[in-house]
Every structure is written in structure tokens, then in C-alpha cells.
């Protein structure tokens, strides 16, 4: 190794002859120990041997253990209190036994795990078999005997039912399910429903058309309808067939009626010849003035709709509700009470939904807060309409029209289209 001046010098080999080294495992064996040193050694079986021995060429080599040289080269220090262990070189017989016992100990955990898994599987199979035996059989079940439904249901139940009775007697009838109490509970409070509403059974308010809408229409009714011609109400050139004192049965039986101009005619024949695109129907007041057979009236009303649909297959039929009257009119026409007319109109409304006709609820626009015909729309007889009433009637019809882009909506209406925009829509493929 380098010296202080940076050079190297020959290193003299150290004489390790008398160096004391512990023998592996003993903790107290030293080589080159004299008898005096041995007497001071720690009590116990220790061996001390010189680490190197000279060879023929003068060099030293590690000393080899020779059992014959034990007396000359090794010193044994006796320790009576220390347990004697065989030397590794002499323990060849015990080593195989220790190896076998180690393998046996390593095999024990694996055997225990296999035993645990096998036991668990056997337990699951046994539990499954017990459950299968306890459950009722399907194909081999005995037929049920006649008895009350509650007792039969109680025998089939294998677990408590949440909606069962509260009787704690344990009887089958007491624990039977009361289906009358099962179901959602009605919620109290204000809620907003986001589902789309069902199709209305009456034509709703939808924009406003001009009277051009009635250019290809026809009106059929009694003296109230005849007032359209009498007062000169603008209906856009529509055909008006109004007859005093007429009723549904006369339309069905094709009775010859006299119009406002004094001409005799059969309404169904005229409608069949003209084939209007729309038909507005208002009939029933004359037939209901007296208290009578409502079922007979509704039967004729239904037959009238069937006859009209057969004669006018391409005509949209608008059925208008029968208007209420003023209270003073009930003295001569007791059958026109609001309660009775409300029931008749409900039946006509359902009839329209069944036959595919459009229902117009005129009553909602002409009834006052007292439930009778509004005074501003009624004449002195309490039944017929004033000019103000006719204007309100046409106004209601113009705002309750099924939507169509070709409808003549008035300027300013929600669905109004200018001629330029209408032309562009018509040009679309």
C-alpha cells in the first residue's frame, strides 16, 4: 500500500501463527494456545489449533484437521455444565432424521388446508340437501283441497308478508294478504307532471283563423243556427241549414223541413249533394224541452251521426254542445235544466270520441257564474241568442280549430303565416 511519500514499500507478511481465532460454532476455540492460556479459557469444550502449518517449500497453508493430532495440536477444555453436542462431521446419522422431520412439518400445513377445503365443501353439500328437503316439491305436490281462499293462501306462504294482517293469533285467515290495501299511497300536495297529456276529447283553443275557414263548411241545426242567416252573421260563405223546431230524429227520418227562406228541403239530401269539407252540428234543444226519455234522445243522436258520416265520408264533423238557457226559460222548458243538459252533453262528448267526431264545448264560453246562459248573450225568451251572442259564437269557432299549416290564420295570431312564407312552405318537398 502507498506510504506517506506516495511510494510503495514491501509489506512484510504478518506472523499469524499465534493469532487466536474462534472455532465456528464454539465461541471459545483459539489456535496456538499454550497450556497456560488453556487454563484461563472459559469453561467448556473448546479446541484451539494453529491456523497455518509450514509446508516443504517453507510456505504456510491452512491447517487441516486430523483426528490423530488431537492430543498434540488441540487442547480440550472440559465444562461439566455444558451439554455435549456431536461434531458436525460425526453427526451423519442424526442429519437424515432431522431432514425427514422438517419435511413432515412442511407437509402439515398443506394437509390441513386440504382438509379444511374438503370439510367446507361437504358442509355446503349437506346444507343444500337439507334446504331442498325442507322446500315444498313442485311436481309431486298434493292437490289442494277445497276451502277458503284465505286459508289456502296462508298455507302457501313461507314467509311473513309485509301487507298481512296485524292479528297475532297466528291463524292463516288473519295473516292472509288484504289486496284491497296493497298499492301506491295517494300523495298529498302540489306536484308538476312532466308527462305528455292525453289527447283532448274536445277541440282546444289553437290560434285564430279568419272567416275564410268556413268557405267550404256547412252549419246544420235548429232555429239557433237559422239565426246566422237571419242576423246576417259573416260565416265566410258557409252553407247554413237551420230549421225551426227540428231535432235529431227528424234528420234521421229525412223529414221535409222549411228553411228561413220558406223553401222545403231534406237536409241530408242537400248535404249529400254539396259534400262540404266541414260540418258544424248544433241540435237537441227542441227535443229536450220536456222531461222525457234521455236514452231515446241519445239513441237518435247516435244514429244521426252515423247517417251523416255515411253520407259525408270525407267531411270533418264538429259536434257542438247544447247551450244552457236562462232560469226564466225553465218555466216553459223544464227539461233544459243545467244538470240535465250537463249529463246529455257528457254523453254526446263520449259519443264523439267513440265515433271520431270533434267535440266543441260551447257551454264553457256561454255559461255565466250562476250556471245558466249568460244574460248578455240571451234574448228575452232566455233560449235564443242575441247578435252579441252570435258574434261570440263565431269568435269561439275561429279560435278552436285543429292545427294545419294551411289554415287561414289571422295576422297577429300565433300560427299566422304570410303569403310569402306560405308559398315557401308549399314549395318544400
Amino acid at each position: 500500500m502507498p506510504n506517506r511519500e506516495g511510494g510503495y514499500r514491501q509489506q512484510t507478511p504478518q506472523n499469524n501463527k499465534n493469532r487466536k481465532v474462534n472455532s465456528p460454532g464454539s465461541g471459545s476455540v483459539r489456535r496456538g494456545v499454550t497450556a497456560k492460556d488453556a487454563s484461563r479459557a472459559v469453561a467448556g469444550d473448546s479446541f484451539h489449533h494453529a491456523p497455518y502449518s509450514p509446508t516443504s517449500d517453507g510456505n504456510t497453508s491452512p491447517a487441516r484437521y486430523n483426528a490423530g493430532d488431537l492430543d498434540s495440536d488441540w487442547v480440550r477444555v472440559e465444562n461439566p455444565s455444558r451439554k455435549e453436542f456431536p461434531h458436525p462431521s460425526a453427526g451423519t446419522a442424526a442429519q437424515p432424521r432431522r431432514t425427514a422431520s422438517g419435511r413432515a412439518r412442511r407437509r402439515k400445513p398443506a394437509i390441513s388446508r386440504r382438509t379444511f377445503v374438503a370439510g367446507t365443501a361437504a358442509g355446503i353439500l349437506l346444507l343444500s340437501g337439507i334446504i331442498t328437503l325442507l322446500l315444498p316439491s313442485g311436481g309431486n305436490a298434493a292437490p289442494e283441497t277445497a276451502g277458503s281462499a284465505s286459508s289456502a293462501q296462508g298455507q302457501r306462504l313461507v314467509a311473513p308478508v309485509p301487507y298481512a294482517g296485524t292479528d297475532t293469533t297466528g291463524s292463516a285467515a288473519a295473516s292472509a294478504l288484504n289486496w284491497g290495501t296493497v298499492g301506491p299511497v295517494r300523495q298529498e300536495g302540489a306536484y308538476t307532471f312532466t308527462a305528455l297529456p292525453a289527447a283532448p276529447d274536445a277541440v282546444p283553443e289553437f290560434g285564430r283563423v279568419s272567416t275564410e275557414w268556413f268557405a267550404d263548411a256547412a252549419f246544420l241545426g235548429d232555429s239557433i243556427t237559422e239565426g246566422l242567416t237571419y242576423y246576417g252573421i259573416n260565416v265566410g260563405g258557409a252553407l247554413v241549414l237551420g230549421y225551426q223546431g227540428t231535432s235529431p230524429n227528424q234528420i234521421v227520418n229525412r223529414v221535409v223541413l222549411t228553411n228561413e227562406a220558406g223553401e222545403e228541403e231534406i237536409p241530408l239530401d242537400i248535404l249529400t249533394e254539396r259534400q262540404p269539407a266541414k260540418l258544424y252540428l248544433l241540435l237537441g234543444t227542441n227535443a229536450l224541452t220536456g222531461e222525457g226519455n234521455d236514452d231515446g234522445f241519445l239513441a237518435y243522436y247516435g244514429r244521426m251521426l252515423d247517417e251523416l258520416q255515411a253520407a259525408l265520408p270525407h267531411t270533418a264533423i264538429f259536434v257542438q254542445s247544447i247551450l244552457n238557457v236562462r232560469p226564466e226559460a225553465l218555466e216553459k222548458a223544464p227539461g233544459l235544466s243545467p244538470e240535465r243538459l250537463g249529463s246529455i252533453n257528457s254523453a254526446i262528448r263520449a259519443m264523439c270520441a267513440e265515433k271520431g267526431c270533434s267535440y266543441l264545448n260551447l257551454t264553457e264560453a256561454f255559461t255565466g257564474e250562476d250556471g245558466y246562459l249568460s244574460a248578455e248573450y240571451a234574448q228575452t225568451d232566455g233560449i235564443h241568442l242575441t247578435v252579441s251572442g252570435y258574434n261570440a259564437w263565431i269568435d269561439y269557432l275561429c279560435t278552436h280549430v285543429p292545427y294545419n299549416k294551411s289554415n287561414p290564420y289571422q295576422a297577429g295570431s300565433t300560427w299566422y303565416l304570410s303569403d310569402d312564407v306560405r308559398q315557401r312552405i308549399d314549395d318544400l318537398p
Side-chain angles (χ1 to χ4, degrees), residues 316-342:
I317 299 178
F318 294 89
V319 178
Q320 304 168 88
S321 63
I322 303 173
L323 294 177
N324 290 330
V325 297
R326 293 295 299 163
E328 54 270 19
L330 296 179
E331 297 179 1
K332 296 181 180 181
L336 298 179
S337 64
E339 294 77 16
R340 187 187 184 196
L341 291 182

Side-chain angles (χ1 to χ4, degrees), residues 109-181:
I111 295 174
S112 299
R113 287 192 295 269
R114 287 195 295 268
T115 304
F116 174 75
V117 172
T120 303
I124 293 174
L125 293 176
L126 179 61
L127 182 60
S128 301
I130 294 174
I131 294 176
T132 304
L133 292 176
L134 293 178
L135 290 177
S137 59
N140 299 328
E144 296 182 1
T145 59
S148 63
S150 60
S151 61
Q153 184 182 20
Q155 294 175 359
R156 290 194 300 268
L157 294 177
V158 296
V161 182
Y163 295 99
T166 57
D167 192 356
T168 58
T169 58
S171 62
S175 61
L177 184 61
N178 182 9
W179 291 106
T181 60

Side-chain angles (χ1 to χ4, degrees), residues 359-421:
Y359 181 79
L360 292 169
N361 188 12
L362 286 182
T363 306
E364 66 179 358
F366 283 80
T367 302
E369 295 180 357
D370 56 358
Y372 295 94
L373 178 64
S374 178
E376 63 175 315
Y377 298 146
Q379 291 189 8
T380 56
D381 63 355
I383 296 177
H384 294 87
L385 300 178
T386 61
V387 174
S388 169
Y390 281 105
N391 291 331
W393 182 10
I394 299 303
D395 182 77
Y396 182 90
L397 297 183
C398 287
T399 56
H400 291 74
V401 174
Y403 171 77
N404 189 297
K405 66 182 182 65
S406 300
N407 291 345
Y409 291 104
Q410 290 183 353
S413 175
T414 304
W415 310 105
Y416 168 75
L417 298 175
S418 63
D419 294 339
D420 180 57
V421 175

Side-chain angles (χ1 to χ4, degrees), residues 17-362:
K17 182 176 181 179
N18 294 327
R19 186 166 61 91
K20 299 177 182 181
V21 180
N22 294 336
S23 177
S26 62
S28 60
V29 177
R30 298 178 180 178
R31 299 182 181 181
V33 182
T34 60
K36 184 178 179 180
D37 295 331
S39 63
R40 292 199 300 260
V42 180
D45 293 338
S46 301
F47 298 91
H48 305 271
H49 192 276
Y52 294 93
S53 60
T55 58
S56 59
D57 55 0
N59 297 326
T60 58
S61 63
R64 299 178 180 273
Y65 172 74
N66 189 357
D69 300 335
L70 183 61
D71 295 337
S72 60
D73 295 338
W74 298 82
V75 177
R76 180 184 299 272
V77 180
E78 299 295 337
N79 186 2
S81 62
R82 182 173 180 178
K83 184 177 180 181
E84 189 72 21
F85 291 95
H87 195 273
S89 62
T92 56
Q95 184 174 1
R97 290 193 298 271
R98 290 195 300 270
T99 305
S101 63
R103 286 196 298 269
R105 285 193 301 271
R106 287 191 298 271
R107 283 197 301 270
K108 284 182 179 180
I111 295 174
S112 299
R113 287 192 295 269
R114 287 195 295 268
T115 304
F116 174 75
V117 172
T120 303
I124 293 174
L125 293 176
L126 179 61
L127 182 60
S128 301
I130 294 174
I131 294 176
T132 304
L133 292 176
L134 293 178
L135 290 177
S137 59
N140 299 328
E144 296 182 1
T145 59
S148 63
S150 60
S151 61
Q153 184 182 20
Q155 294 175 359
R156 290 194 300 268
L157 294 177
V158 296
V161 182
Y163 295 99
T166 57
D167 192 356
T168 58
T169 58
S171 62
S175 61
L177 184 61
N178 182 9
W179 291 106
T181 60
V182 177
V185 179
R186 181 180 180 85
Q187 302 295 323
E188 301 295 339
Y191 298 92
T192 300
F193 297 93
T194 58
L196 293 177
D201 55 357
V203 179
E205 183 176 357
F206 208 95
R208 177 184 290 273
V209 298
S210 65
T211 54
E212 296 176 6
W213 164 262
F214 304 108
D216 55 356
F219 287 82
L220 176 61
D222 49 26
S223 56
I224 298 178
T225 302
E226 185 185 24
L228 293 173
T229 304
Y230 181 81
Y231 290 106
I233 303 301
N234 179 18
V235 289
L239 174 65
V240 179
L241 301 176
Y243 310 95
Q244 293 185 11
T246 189
S247 58
N249 62 318
Q250 294 181 347
I251 302 299
V252 173
N253 296 326
R254 295 177 178 269
V255 176
V256 177
L257 303 175
T258 303
N259 60 19
E260 195 272 334
E263 302 173 348
E264 294 183 349
E265 56 193 16
I266 299 176
L268 271 178
D269 292 346
I270 297 177
L271 291 173
T272 303
E273 179 183 356
R274 299 286 295 267
Q275 290 292 318
K278 316 172 189 78
L279 176 63
Y280 285 88
L281 188 64
L282 179 57
L283 281 169
T285 302
N286 294 305
L288 297 174
T289 54
E291 298 177 350
N293 186 6
D294 293 352
D295 293 337
F297 170 80
L298 293 174
Y300 265 111
Y301 207 102
R303 286 187 57 185
M304 179 182 64
L305 293 180
D306 294 338
E307 293 285 344
L308 291 172
Q309 287 180 325
L312 309 172
H314 305 293
T315 300
I317 299 178
F318 294 89
V319 178
Q320 304 168 88
S321 63
I322 303 173
L323 294 177
N324 290 330
V325 297
R326 293 295 299 163
E328 54 270 19
L330 296 179
E331 297 179 1
K332 296 181 180 181
L336 298 179
S337 64
E339 294 77 16
R340 187 187 184 196
L341 291 182
S343 176
I344 294 294
N345 284 329
S346 296
I348 294 175
R349 189 171 191 163
M351 193 182 301
C352 291
E354 179 183 354
K355 297 181 181 295
C357 300
S358 298
Y359 181 79
L360 292 169
N361 188 12
L362 286 182

